[in-house]
Every structure is written in structure tokens, then in C-alpha cells.
Amino acid sequence: MGGDSGNGAAAAVRLAEGAALREVMDTADPAAWTALDAGVREAAWSTDGYQWLPAWEAEAGRALAEALTGDSGARPLTEGWLALGLCHRQGRIRAAALEQAAARPELLPLMVVRCSDWAPPVRERARRLLVERLDAESAVRLMTLILRVGRRGRGDFVTDLATRLLLAAPRETFAPLYTDPDRTTRRYAYRLAVEEGYLSPAELARAAARETDTVIQSLCADAALAGLAQLDADGQAGPARDDVLAPLLGARGAQPRAAGVTALRRAGRSAEAEGFLGDRAGVVRACARYVLRQAGGDPHAWYRERCGRGDLALPAGAVSGLAECGVRADAGLLWALTSHAVAAVRARAVGGLRALDATDVARMRELLDDPAPGVVREAALALLPSARMLDERWLMRRLAAEQPRQVRVSAFRLLNAHEGLVRLRAAVALLDEPDDRLRYWARQSVERWRPTADVPRGSAEVGELLERARLFPTSTLKRLKWEAGIKA
């Protein structure tokens, strides 16, 4: 069962029919518990009594109330029925179910949910029972749900309780949270670990290197370097420095690599930053340039020399680096690289020319026929400010279905930068386009089109083009025709 109340309502019906919890929902999924909680109270119109009632309650509501009050002839309470009682719309039923569910460990997740209940008597009873039954191991198992509940109003109690339990438990109890599939849970775990000093600088560096979440990457990398600085101040860094820097410099994520490169200066290893001048990430390149400049180096000269060679081993990041710290006089080197054998290098060279505002319209137009989509995309972006200088008929021919997709996209991007009839012609030409993204873009362009001063009011061509736009609502077409001075 997923995390929406519709699935929760369907699960509630099955529970009322006698199904077990594990048969109707994934009990390991925190979203399934919150969905069940909402779904049990999801009301539908009942012809029996003509009132709004949850679907399951029309059949089993009275029987559940009798079972909770201890009626001698009542049906025995199963875990499924107790789950319904814990999520019931009436506070007295929820409160009664809490006492019965206290001895059922499988219903502990719903007890966590009830700790943020809107009814004070229910909420206080749930909190009292949870304090008695929640331990550190259970808190680890339910941490994702606990954090979900903690984001609700009145939900801070359960998060604070879990934190106190974890802080009092052995550190190894805490370890599973570092690898939890839920990102929010991992963030909580690492924040707590950093605050309490549970992990050494080397462990934090390794965590930053293996993590996929950028927030955790930055948190652990910063904490690792802060811990290393403290060891330095105490004169105890020694081999720990390599144990911290090596994972950071080899990390897949840009943030840990950037932190590691910046730390090279403090470690007296500034020369190693040169190896990161051509890094694929801009933030890493910027940090490498900073470290080298602080050591008296000249990153700009390195970029010019490296790009001037133009060999096949040239990293694409070095081309971007030249544009980032270069001047317009470096445009010649970048133009030479627009014919490089590697597509990524060509694309970065075109992007660099745009960044240096060194666009030659005639030469850039030729790059619109490059076989690499990335190069064509960069060339189109570079030509956008000069789009009206391009022959509109040439661009319209490039919209033909037999053209490669990147050619058609670039042509429409440039035509869409025009105004008046040129833009409308291009958009209408793609309204029946099989490519979903191009068709959607064209529809948006038509809807946003406005007649400009060069479009005569009542233009017959505008009327014909709008007549072809039959897929639009009548109100949209009427508005467009009225704005263009055409009778609807």
C-alpha cells in the first residue's frame, strides 16, 4: 500500500472484513501507516442512515465499539480491528483502543502517530504509553515514521523521546540509521552524530564520499575538516590527515571534492590542486583556482596552455575553466576547440564563447549542424540574443520532420525568440508534432502569443493560422482572435 489516503481507505475496508495487517499493507513502510491513519477516517456518503461515514464503518463500526467496551457477546479484537480503533474518527474510540493496543508491539507505529493526535486526552494517553514501551531499538526501527510525525503540529514529543533514547543507548544501536533508505532519516542520524561527536574525522570523510544526498555530503565534509583542524591544533593530526583528505578528494559528489581541494592549502599540499583545475564540477574548479592563487600559482596560464594543446586527453572541465577565469582575448583558443574530436569539449567551448560574449553569428550558425546534441544546444543558446538576425525561412525548413531532433529543437527555440507572425507560424507548424515535449512547447507558445506592431489588425494569415489551432479551448481562440482584431 502506498502513502495516500485512498489506499488507506481500501485497506480499512479489508481490515474490517477480518484481513490481517500484513495482508493489506506494507508494515515496514512509514507512508503506509500514515495513509491508513487518514484512510480509516475518509468518509463516503452512506444511504444507510443518509450520512457521511467511512466505508468500513457502515458495516463494522458498531461491532468495533462493542468489542472495545468489553461487551460479552462482542467479536474478539484482532490487530486489524485495533488498528481501525486507533485511527477512528471518534476520540473516545481511539482512547479505548490505545489501552488495548499497548500490549501489541505490531501496533506501536500507530501509537507513535497518536502522539500528535488533535484531541488532548488521546494525545496524552498515547504519550504516556509510548514512554513505557518505546526503547532505542524500536526507535531506530520506527525512526522514519517518528520523523514524519515530528513534522506535524504537536509532533515534537515523539522526536524528542526517540532522541533521548538513542543518546542513552550504545553507539552501535545508532549505526543502522546511517544507511537508512530514507534521506530525511539519514540526515537526522548524521546531524546527531556530528553534534555528539560519534564519528571520527576519517569516518565523516568516508560518509561524505559515499553519500548521494548533497546535504549530508556537505555536513559530513565540513565536520570532517573541522575535526581535522582540531586535531591539528592539538598536534595530533599525523596520518589522520591523509585518512580525511583521500576520501574527500576521490568522492563522486562535487561538494566533498570541493571541500577536500580547499583543505589542501591548510595541509601544505596546494600543488595538488592543479589536478582539479579541469574537474567536471564548477565548484571544484573554483576551489582549485583559489588554492593555487593563494600559493602564487597562475590558473589562467595553466588553462591556456592545456587548451592550446587541444589533444584528445583534454578534459572538458578545462575548457569551462578557461571561460570562467579567462578574458575575451581567449576566444581564439575556444573557437579552435569547436572542431575538437570530443563532443563534450566542443560543447564546453561553445558555452565558453557565450560566457565570454564572443559570439560570431555566422560561425556559430554553422555549429547548429554539429552531430552532437549538446553542441547544437549550446550554439542555439549562444545565438538567442541574435535570433532575429537569422533567416526565418531557413529556420522554418529546419523544423521538418526528417531533421534530427536537436536540429528541430534548436530551430524552434530560435524562432520562438522572434515576435509576431514568425513566432506564430513556427508554433502552429508543430501543433501536431508527435514529440510530446515539442508539441507542448508549441502549444504554450501559441497560448502566450500576442500580436505586435508589425502584425496588421485583422491579418488574414493570422486568422488562417489560428483556425489551424483547433485543439485549443474555444475561449482561448476567441481571446487570440480578439487581440488580433479578427472576428471570432
Side-chain angles (χ1 to χ4, degrees):
M1 186 182 78
D4 61 77
S5 61
N7 286 340
V13 171
R14 293 189 60 196
L15 290 175
E17 293 170 350
L21 271 173
R22 292 184 181 277
E23 295 175 6
V24 302
M25 60 181 282
D26 179 4
T27 55
D29 181 8
W33 290 104
T34 53
L36 177 66
D37 178 49
V40 169
R41 296 186 298 278
E42 187 173 292
W45 181 251
S46 171
T47 54
D48 183 15
Y50 299 99
Q51 57 183 326
W52 290 93
L53 281 177
W56 69 271
E57 198 174 330
E59 297 294 332
R62 181 174 297 178
L64 174 62
E66 291 174 353
L68 285 170
T69 54
D71 191 302
S72 57
R75 175 176 170 174
L77 278 171
T78 62
E79 63 174 18
W81 272 43
L82 273 175
L84 293 174
L86 287 168
C87 306
H88 200 277
R89 60 192 175 88
Q90 293 182 15
R92 63 182 182 85
I93 300 293
R94 296 196 303 278
L98 276 169
E99 298 294 344
Q100 301 272 1
R104 303 280 188 107
E106 65 273 14
L107 294 176
L108 194 59
L110 287 177
M111 195 174 294
V112 169
V113 173
R114 291 280 66 81
C115 285
S116 64
D117 198 280
W118 60 94
V122 178
R123 184 169 67 246
E124 294 307 319
R125 184 174 298 186
R127 291 177 176 182
R128 173 176 56 80
L129 292 170
L130 190 68
V131 168
E132 297 171 0
R133 284 157 179 78
L134 189 69
D135 55 23
E137 288 76 13
S138 300
V140 168
R141 190 176 68 254
L142 299 175
M143 185 51 70
T144 302
L145 176 63
I146 288 171
L147 293 173
R148 277 175 173 255
V149 173
R151 294 195 292 269
R152 297 178 174 182
R154 304 173 298 271
D156 54 346
F157 170 86
V158 68
T159 307
D160 293 343
L161 173 62
T163 302
R164 290 196 304 272
L165 289 170
L166 290 174
L167 292 177
R171 291 187 184 183
E172 55 268 22
T173 306
F174 197 74
L177 296 180
Y178 298 139
T179 54
D180 194 277
D182 182 69
R183 180 180 61 187
T184 303
T185 302
R186 296 199 309 277
R187 288 180 180 178
Y188 165 85
Y190 279 111
R191 284 192 182 112
L192 192 60
V194 168
E195 290 172 5
E196 299 299 321
Y198 282 175
L199 299 174
S200 68
E203 289 173 322
L204 287 166
R206 290 194 292 272
R210 69 170 176 264
E211 254 295 339
T212 56
D213 180 61
T214 55
V215 173
I216 299 175
Q217 288 174 0
S218 298
L219 172 71
C220 291
D222 292 346
L225 294 179
L228 184 60
Q230 185 60 50
L231 290 176
D232 268 334
D234 297 339
Q236 300 175 1
R241 186 177 288 108
D242 287 336
D243 293 340
V244 171
L245 291 182
L248 293 179
L249 294 173
R252 182 177 179 82
Q255 292 297 332
R257 286 204 312 281
V261 169
T262 305
L264 288 172
R265 176 171 173 255
R266 187 184 187 103
R269 296 161 51 180
S270 297
E272 294 180 34
E274 185 177 289
F276 295 88
L277 287 175
D279 194 273
R280 62 184 179 274
V283 65
V284 179
R285 294 193 297 269
C287 291
R289 291 194 294 269
Y290 163 77
V291 171
L292 286 174
R293 284 176 182 141
Q294 293 299 307
D298 186 359
H300 183 225
W302 184 92
Y303 283 125
R304 284 189 59 84
E305 190 277 330
R306 192 69 187 83
C307 292
R309 279 187 266 161
D311 52 51
L312 289 176
L314 173 66
V319 183
S320 295
L322 177 60
E324 288 162 356
C325 70
V327 293
R328 294 193 70 182
D330 297 319
L333 286 172
L334 293 174
W335 276 115
L337 293 173
T338 59
S339 58
H340 195 274
V342 179
V345 170
R346 298 199 304 275
R348 297 290 185 97
V350 176
L353 288 165
R354 176 165 60 92
L356 293 177
D357 193 21
T359 301
D360 181 313
V361 175
R363 295 175 72 180
M364 195 64 72
R365 170 180 152 155
E366 295 175 4
L367 295 173
L368 291 174
D369 292 316
D370 193 282
V375 178
V376 176
R377 180 172 58 251
E378 289 291 345
L381 289 173
L383 286 168
L384 270 181
S386 311
R388 297 183 193 181
M389 297 173 61
L390 300 173
D391 183 359
E392 63 190 67
R393 287 170 294 183
W394 176 76
L395 287 173
M396 285 294 293
R397 289 195 296 272
R398 295 171 70 82
L399 292 178
E402 63 271 14
Q403 295 282 0
R405 186 180 187 278
Q406 68 268 19
V407 171
R408 304 179 72 214
V409 170
S410 65
F412 184 66
R413 174 175 276 125
L414 293 167
L415 286 164
N416 201 45
H418 286 71
E419 294 181 348
L421 276 169
V422 175
R423 180 177 174 181
L424 185 61
R425 288 186 197 120
V428 171
L430 294 178
L431 286 180
D432 297 323
E433 169 64 34
D435 186 304
D436 291 340
R437 295 185 67 179
L438 260 180
R439 185 175 66 252
Y440 179 72
W441 191 4
R443 285 178 61 87
Q444 279 190 319
S445 184
V446 172
E447 288 177 341
R448 296 171 182 174
W449 182 80
R450 295 292 181 273
T452 51
D454 61 329
V455 179
R457 286 194 60 78
S459 166
E461 184 180 1
V462 172
E464 291 173 6
L465 289 171
L466 292 178
E467 282 299 319
R468 289 168 58 187
R470 287 294 186 184
L471 295 176
F472 290 95
T474 304
S475 59
T476 300
L477 288 175
K478 282 184 177 180
R479 174 182 58 78
L480 291 170
K481 289 181 177 180
W482 176 80
E483 290 177 346
I486 299 170
K487 290 184 178 179

